[in-house]
Amino acid sequence: MDQKHELLKQYFGYTDFREGQESIINELLNGRDALCIMPTGAGKSICYQIPALMLEGITLVVSPLISLMNDQVSLLTQVGVRAAYLNSSLTLGQYHRVLGNIANGQYKIVYVAPERLMTEEFLRLCRRIHISLVAVDEAHCVSQWGQDFRPSYLKILEFIESLDIRPTVGAFTATATQKIREDIVDILRLQEPFTITTGFDRPNLFFSVIRTKPKNAQLLKLMAERREKSGIIYCATRKKVEQVCALLCENGYAATRYHAGLSEQERRQNQADFVYDAKNVMVATNAFGMGIDKSNVSYVIHYNMPKNIESYYQEAGRAGRDGEEAECILMYGASDVHTNELLITHSAPNPELEEERQEAVRRLEYDRLKHMTFYCTTNDCLRGFILKYFGEKPKNYCGKCANCLTQYETIDATVPAQKILSCVIRAGQRYGRRMIADILLGRQNERLTYLGLDKLTTYGIMKDTSQKALHDMMTCLEEEGYLFTTGGEYPILKVAPSCTALLKGETTFTIKVPKEKQSSEEKKFRRPSKASEEYAVDQELFQQLKVLRRELADKARVPSYIIFSNITLNDMCRKRPTTVTEFLSVSGVGQQKLERYGEDFMSLIRRYQEEHGEE
Ligand code: ADP
Ligand code: ZN
């Protein structure tokens, strides 16, 4: 095992890197700048935390939000990494203590608010110490094209350039638009950065759009099915937040609220209630969220449609960060479009931008709103729609969104598949897709007749099929490996050996096809299939582990997910570790967590085993 993997296990308790992580780490270790675009929850932090542990000197992480920094530092401290933050939540005394500790080389990782970078005291200190890496978290905040633009982020470059030795710079974001990407590279002056964009898919999220009215009744129905779970409900306005929160409280839900109209103190209190699970529902405007690391959010409901797909995916993506199955539900009403149009038209001018740029940004906003609306009205796969928006090429059926479950059906297509395959064979495996389709559909064309292909027994045997359906079927046959196309200027369709079984009828062939057009009213909302069913764990044990986690969290004064994620507790239920080695094999358990909490959890499990017999 190399050092990277050792550190991953020792500190974070994971055995394998996720997509993209290892290559980013390698590049940063080699001193190359990097731009890393990964969706929320994909694991960006580890990409700079592991290099931070391996490199000499310290790593500075520039981060826009206090809550985010505090959370990350708690997490790191819990796993035994010496880390600290510098932001306005510290008293002057604490601030100086941290600066002193930095000077003494006490920390490997320091989180800094961007506006602190150019303060004289901090700069003086930074010139004396060895900074090996500067990681810019939420790097899209440098771009004026996005909605999260923070003028203080423009100071980062100035800071980097004022150091005697330029550290390696890594920029991290979940925002994928090309313009913003270019801005990050330009504004931070990344030097030939290694750039990586991992897939934007979040396989554990289930997507749905609900168009039934009235919304309140619909919401209560959704809530009743999710009573025990923790979730966020986003509303477009403060007023709506107040109404919805009151509605839920009246109906016996432990709901709290968050919007910019509340006092700073109340916001902080409400956020803490939610993060520490004292209240399990948060009703909020989009002011709530960036930097909320609460990983056990199991649903995000949008009471109103947000203004664009970027915002939607970011907000909805706060569900299931622990990797558990989670749901993203959008309640769409036509008036949401109008509200958003007004918001764009009347948005306060950004004093940082010239009039012309302002107008361009506004046009872009309208365009984005249009796509958001399309998402709400499409009958196509919702996940596919989002991924395409971010420039990916997803399959047109994901099987895990409301549209795939209600708008598509599985049909047996063995017979048409046999027809297609035998046509390819009869025609001597010499023609491309178009010609094969023409033969099957019984079309006339000069070349076809000249070649005598209209004499084939397969000529016209699919004349009742639509051209599109036929092409879709051919695509499926290719995807399943029954057919393949040769390369070159004139690609030729050929059959693969596996087609024999299908032709003999020894196997069957099914495809997903869109159902006949349904009106939107008929479009029913369905709960996700319980994909985790096969992994169902002993709920009683799981509950006991949760109670223990809660006690330990209260004692340590941290949110429970900082102790262990639900994924880790689930894994414990499955593995029921009673020895140190077994405990270490649980995903999310590293050395520190073993030492701190291992005994508590293992004795609970032992006791449980004795009481329940060792099935
Ligand atoms: P991001 O910053 O990209 O939104 P985080 O860094 O917060 O995501 O990571 C999201 C979750 O994934 C965290 O709970 C983290 O511990 C977990 N995680 C990260 N890397 C791995 C890995 N290699 N294996 C398993 N879990 C991981
Ligand atoms: Zn789908």
Side-chain angles (χ1 to χ4, degrees):
M1 204 165 33
D2 62 10
Q3 200 192 351
K4 285 188 299 274
H5 283 87
E6 269 167 29
L7 293 172
L8 181 69
K9 182 65 212 170
Q10 183 192 338
Y11 286 104
F12 303 100
Y14 304 128
T15 332
D16 301 303
F17 283 108
R18 290 209 186 129
E19 187 194 350
Q21 287 180 331
E22 198 171 359
S23 44
I24 288 272
I25 292 172
N26 287 339
E27 298 290 339
L28 290 175
L29 286 174
N30 284 333
R32 181 161 174 204
D33 287 355
L35 169 60
C36 163
I37 299 152
M38 285 185 178
T40 311
K44 288 184 280 298
S45 335
I46 278 180
C47 297
Y48 55 81
Q49 288 166 350
I50 292 213
L53 292 169
M54 294 172 72
L55 292 165
E56 274 177 42
I58 73 165
T59 289
L60 292 183
V61 185
V62 183
S63 178
L65 282 174
I66 293 177
S67 57
L68 197 123
M69 293 189 216
N70 298 8
D71 225 44
Q72 287 287 331
V73 171
S74 302
L75 278 164
L76 287 169
T77 312
Q78 279 289 322
V79 300
V81 175
R82 288 163 300 149
Y85 53 76
L86 286 172
N87 60 37
S88 58
S89 75
L90 299 179
T91 62
L92 202 61
Q94 289 171 323
Y95 187 74
H96 283 115
R97 204 162 328 127
V98 174
L99 288 185
N101 286 342
I102 296 177
N104 294 333
Q106 295 272 330
Y107 305 122
K108 284 309 285 181
I109 304 182
V110 177
Y111 284 77
V112 201
E115 54 283 356
R116 298 269 149 178
L117 291 171
M118 290 308 285
T119 56
E120 206 163 309
E121 224 177 351
F122 185 67
L123 264 181
R124 212 176 319 126
L125 172 62
C126 287
R127 294 216 182 91
R128 277 172 36 213
I129 57 173
H130 180 173
I131 300 170
S132 43
L133 174 65
V134 171
V136 182
D137 204 8
E138 312 286 355
H140 60 280
C141 292
V142 298
S143 171
Q144 302 182 346
W145 287 109
Q147 36 247 292
D148 298 325
F149 173 55
R150 280 168 191 256
S152 58
Y153 258 57
L154 299 175
K155 298 216 171 96
I156 299 174
L157 177 69
E158 208 181 324
F159 169 76
I160 292 170
E161 296 196 327
S162 68
L163 297 174
D164 298 333
I165 302 170
R166 184 184 182 280
T168 308
V169 181
F172 298 83
T173 179
T175 305
T177 41
Q178 187 62 28
K179 269 202 170 76
I180 293 183
R181 233 182 268 192
E182 286 163 11
D183 263 7
I184 295 174
V185 175
D186 289 348
I187 296 172
L188 294 176
R189 291 214 193 128
L190 299 183
Q191 299 177 356
E192 294 175 27
F194 170 73
T195 303
I196 190 165
T197 309
T198 63
F200 261 64
D201 189 20
R202 298 273 310 278
N204 62 324
L205 299 184
F206 180 91
F207 293 93
S208 61
V209 176
I210 304 181
R211 285 178 266 182
T212 36
K213 280 196 210 165
K215 282 190 181 180
N216 281 352
Q218 189 63 42
L219 179 67
L220 288 175
K221 209 167 126 211
L222 291 172
M223 295 300 293
E225 292 161 348
R226 293 162 183 79
R227 205 167 257 286
E228 303 302 320
K229 297 184 170 170
S230 184
I232 304 173
I233 301 171
Y234 279 108
C235 303
T237 60
R238 299 175 191 182
K239 199 167 133 211
K240 203 79 230 172
V241 168
E242 292 293 337
Q243 287 169 358
V244 169
C245 187
L247 174 78
L248 294 182
C249 291
E250 277 160 28
N251 281 275
Y253 292 95
T256 184
R257 67 205 203 285
Y258 190 106
H259 58 68
L262 301 174
S263 71
E264 162 94 36
Q265 194 206 337
E266 186 171 3
R267 266 182 289 164
R268 202 177 312 139
Q269 181 60 45
N270 294 354
Q271 176 170 331
D273 283 348
F274 179 62
V275 169
Y276 288 83
D277 294 318
K279 300 277 172 71
N280 65 358
V281 186
M282 171 59 89
V283 187
T285 60
N286 61 5
F288 177 76
M290 197 175 27
I292 304 303
D293 238 347
K294 184 177 168 62
S295 63
N296 62 342
V297 174
S298 71
Y299 62 86
V300 170
I301 296 176
H302 277 76
Y303 190 91
N304 301 106
M305 179 184 80
K307 59 180 187 284
N308 55 43
I309 301 263
E310 285 92 342
S311 309
Y312 181 62
Y313 204 49
Q314 193 175 49
E315 288 159 16
R318 300 204 168 105
R321 293 192 56 162
D322 53 8
E324 288 277 308
E325 296 295 308
E327 298 169 272
C328 308
I329 304 166
L330 198 161
M331 303 174 82
Y332 170 74
S335 63
D336 292 338
V337 183
H338 187 60
T339 313
N340 276 302
E341 278 169 357
L342 288 179
L343 283 175
I344 297 173
T345 315
H346 299 297
S347 61
N350 183 341
E352 310 277 330
L353 298 186
E354 302 133 33
E355 184 54 38
E356 224 170 88
R357 192 82 186 263
Q358 201 110 282
E359 199 40 50
V361 169
R362 200 163 283 155
R363 272 198 304 276
L364 206 67
E365 291 293 329
Y366 281 119
D367 197 52
R368 288 183 180 156
L369 175 60
K370 213 164 60 195
H371 282 97
M372 186 72 246
T373 314
F374 290 161
Y375 173 83
C376 295
T377 53
T378 182
N379 281 332
D380 295 342
C381 171
L382 295 171
R383 167 177 275 102
F385 188 97
I386 294 173
L387 296 178
K388 263 182 236 155
Y389 182 82
F390 288 122
E392 294 192 12
K393 291 197 180 67
K395 287 194 172 168
N396 56 10
Y397 176 88
C398 80
K400 207 169 153 188
C401 74
N403 283 2
C404 281
L405 295 189
T406 57
Q407 307 289 311
Y408 288 75
E409 55 191 341
T410 309
I411 59 164
D412 181 276
T414 310
V415 175
Q418 288 168 335
K419 289 179 179 169
I420 296 170
L421 293 174
S422 42
C423 181
V424 174
I425 295 169
R426 296 270 156 100
Q429 305 194 55
R430 265 178 296 176
Y431 304 101
R433 208 182 230 262
R434 284 267 295 279
M435 181 64 94
I436 297 296
D438 280 351
I439 300 171
L440 285 162
L441 296 168
R443 298 266 164 87
Q444 298 277 342
N445 75 49
E446 231 172 274
R447 189 155 165 262
L448 191 152
T449 331
Y450 171 75
L451 291 164
L453 294 172
D454 52 352
K455 304 286 178 314
L456 291 179
T457 51
T458 49
Y459 183 75
I461 51 169
M462 290 181 81
K463 62 176 183 304
D464 296 328
T465 309
S466 77
Q467 185 165 341
K468 165 138 194 348
L470 176 58
H471 276 283
D472 286 349
M473 244 180 280
M474 286 158 92
T475 305
C476 287
L477 283 167
E478 272 196 65
E479 276 170 9
E480 304 278 315
Y482 291 110
L483 282 177
F484 64 97
T485 328
T486 60
E489 199 179 343
Y490 301 104
I492 289 168
L493 209 52
K494 293 189 180 258
V495 297
S498 60
C499 78
T500 321
L502 187 53
L503 282 168
K504 285 188 190 156
E506 290 164 4
T507 51
T508 57
F509 183 70
T510 59
I511 53 171
K512 303 278 179 190
V513 293
K515 280 187 190 164
E516 292 301 312
K517 277 264 175 295
Q518 294 181 354
S519 68
S520 57
E521 283 71 31
E522 286 171 67
K523 192 170 158 186
K524 281 243 303 287
F525 173 70
R526 221 190 284 167
R527 306 251 311 154
S529 58
K530 266 272 161 269
S532 46
E533 211 143 67
E534 50 189 308
Y535 299 112
V537 295
D538 185 334
Q539 280 307 313
E540 195 186 331
L541 176 58
F542 185 68
Q543 286 308 327
Q544 292 192 15
L545 293 174
K546 261 169 93 170
V547 172
L548 173 60
R549 175 176 69 177
R550 185 62 191 265
E551 287 167 13
L552 294 169
D554 287 346
K555 220 188 292 174
R557 305 249 217 103
V558 294
S560 24
Y561 62 83
I562 300 247
I563 306 280
F564 283 130
S565 70
N566 280 352
I567 294 250
T568 301
L569 294 194
N570 266 320
D571 205 32
M572 256 183 236
C573 285
R574 280 190 288 273
K575 295 187 176 141
R576 304 206 178 178
T578 50
T579 66
V580 168
T581 321
E582 285 170 3
F583 201 74
L584 268 177
S585 77
V586 173
S587 172
V589 175
Q591 200 57 42
Q592 276 293 317
K593 296 261 173 112
L594 166 75
E595 283 163 25
R596 285 193 195 186
Y597 309 119
E599 209 30 66
D600 288 329
F601 281 92
M602 283 190 285
S603 38
L604 187 156
I605 291 168
R606 277 186 217 112
R607 205 165 1 134
Y608 187 87
Q609 305 265 55
E610 277 159 24
E611 282 163 17
H612 292 75
E614 307 244 353
E615 330 60 270

